[in-house]
Amino acid sequence: MTIEAAPPYSPMLHNDRLPVYIRLADTGDASFVYKSWLDAWWVQNKDQYQPLFFKSHREVVKGLMENAVTVIACSNEDPNLIFAWACGLRTKNNR
């Protein structure tokens, strides 16, 4: 006899809405976005000289953040509890 466990919890099925709030990034988020972005790039590029890598890529990230839209996925109860972020430029067709 096989005993089935309860079905896995699915926020999409079991809640009226997800407990996630999507907001535009503000200046207080900049250090978090910079650090996580640079750290993610560094993990993939450890063969490069670290001080030069961070210096040059910091300028790239700065330029992207100044010219792009950055959004933050955070807790709807605590906007400082960040789950994820995305940064991107609008295309010519506004997508």
Side-chain angles (χ1 to χ4, degrees):
M1 179 168 130
T2 304
I3 299 175
E4 295 287 331
Y9 173 74
S10 170
M12 296 297 285
L13 298 174
H14 297 105
N15 281 336
D16 292 338
R17 64 186 195 122
L18 292 172
V20 176
Y21 177 66
I22 307 296
R23 62 177 173 77
L24 290 173
D26 59 31
T27 55
D29 300 317
S31 62
F32 175 80
V33 172
Y34 268 105
K35 174 130 177 56
S36 60
W37 200 336
L38 291 171
D39 286 350
W41 275 354
W42 173 245
V43 168
Q44 300 299 317
N45 295 282
K46 288 193 173 186
D47 58 330
Q48 296 182 22
Y49 180 60
Q50 186 178 14
L52 182 59
F53 173 86
F54 279 102
K55 181 179 179 183
S56 62
H57 281 81
R58 181 170 293 279
E59 292 301 314
V60 172
V61 172
K62 180 180 180 207
L64 288 169
M65 288 185 67
E66 289 174 351
N67 297 304
V69 176
T70 303
V71 293
I72 304 290
C74 60
S75 166
N76 63 355
E77 295 176 359
D78 180 2
N80 293 316
L81 178 58
I82 297 173
F83 301 131
W85 58 265
C87 179
L89 297 170
R90 291 206 180 267
T91 60
K92 290 181 182 180
N93 59 4
N94 285 325
R95 290 188 177 170

